Amino acid sequence: MDQSAVSVDVVALRFWADDAAATFGIAARPHEPFTGRVALPGVLLGRGERLAEAARRAVRTKLGVPAEAIGPVGQLATFDEPNRDPRGPTLSIVMWAVTGPHAGTAHWVSFDSPPALAFDHNSIARAARGLLTGLLWKDLPLTRALLGDEFPATRAVDLATSLLGARPDAANLNRTLSGIPGLSKTEERRRTKATGRPAAVWAFDTGQ
């Protein structure tokens, strides 16, 4: 595959049913530069390749996530610092991707305490956290992929807390959820491990 000086680096998100927080995937680099250092999954953009295709390829080949477990992807930001790559100027287009449960061996880390990452990937992760916080509840493919078609309110609290870095105000969150198109509070209440108390269940319209 012909390759350009444009890299596609991915913040691959995990928030599976038993996860208490959203995390992102990293993997050790098998070659120079920074051999053995952990980094976000990234690939050079192939000639004629779309960004979403490159993002899925990065998550599949670098994190070992099977294609069927990679959900929606989207674009976050561009990093253009000339010295970000010791091999020479490389433009980084940062994407997000949501992963579903699978048996891979990727390493998943918290936004609160990521390890030292290669290149400028710590800066990318910090910026991505803020951008994802802004997209949560507004980007429906992202929100729905993370929470599923239905979820107890406590799951929304856990997701928001892990991205915001602070627990959201319950009343404000309830108003936010009420304003999401196609999402409504059901009559069901579900007991969760987090609180031990029944929590309201929210569900997306299946026709959305």
Side-chain angles (χ1 to χ4, degrees):
M1 179 182 293
D2 292 333
Q3 294 177 323
S4 69
V6 175
S7 67
V8 175
D9 297 307
V10 187
V11 179
L13 300 167
R14 167 179 168 160
F15 189 57
W16 302 350
D18 292 331
D19 293 341
T23 53
F24 66 94
I26 57 175
R29 287 181 55 78
H31 49 70
E32 293 290 346
F34 307 116
T35 302
R37 288 272 301 278
V38 288
L40 297 172
V43 293
L44 290 176
L45 183 66
R47 182 171 296 176
E49 187 176 33
R50 304 298 295 269
L51 292 175
E53 294 171 351
R56 291 176 182 277
R57 178 165 62 90
V59 175
R60 188 179 68 252
T61 60
K62 299 300 177 67
L63 294 183
V65 178
E68 62 272 17
I70 303 173
V73 301
Q75 189 172 343
L76 281 175
T78 300
F79 281 67
D80 62 355
E81 204 287 315
N83 298 314
R84 61 176 304 277
D85 190 325
R87 294 167 293 189
T90 303
L91 192 70
S92 172
I93 298 176
V94 181
M95 307 285 287
W96 60 263
V98 177
T99 68
H102 60 275
T105 57
H107 186 43
W108 303 91
V109 297
S110 166
F111 282 97
D112 287 332
S113 55
L117 303 175
F119 302 105
D120 56 350
H121 288 188
N122 284 95
S123 295
I124 288 177
R126 283 193 298 272
R129 183 180 195 176
L131 293 168
L132 288 165
T133 297
L135 289 176
L136 187 63
W137 319 130
K138 297 175 183 177
D139 187 308
L140 293 188
L142 170 68
T143 302
R144 193 165 182 171
L146 288 168
L147 286 169
D149 291 339
E150 64 173 42
F151 56 90
T154 47
R155 288 286 287 167
V157 171
D158 289 343
L159 176 59
T161 300
S162 58
L163 290 180
L164 287 167
R167 190 177 180 86
D169 177 79
N172 288 341
L173 180 59
N174 191 66
R175 283 192 293 270
T176 297
L177 294 176
S178 297
I180 296 176
L183 181 66
S184 58
K185 186 186 293 186
T186 71
E187 297 297 321
E188 180 186 355
R189 297 187 71 83
R190 188 177 303 167
R191 192 176 300 278
T192 64
K193 295 179 182 178
T195 64
R197 297 190 301 272
V201 173
W202 293 79
F204 282 100
D205 184 339
T206 55
Q208 292 287 318

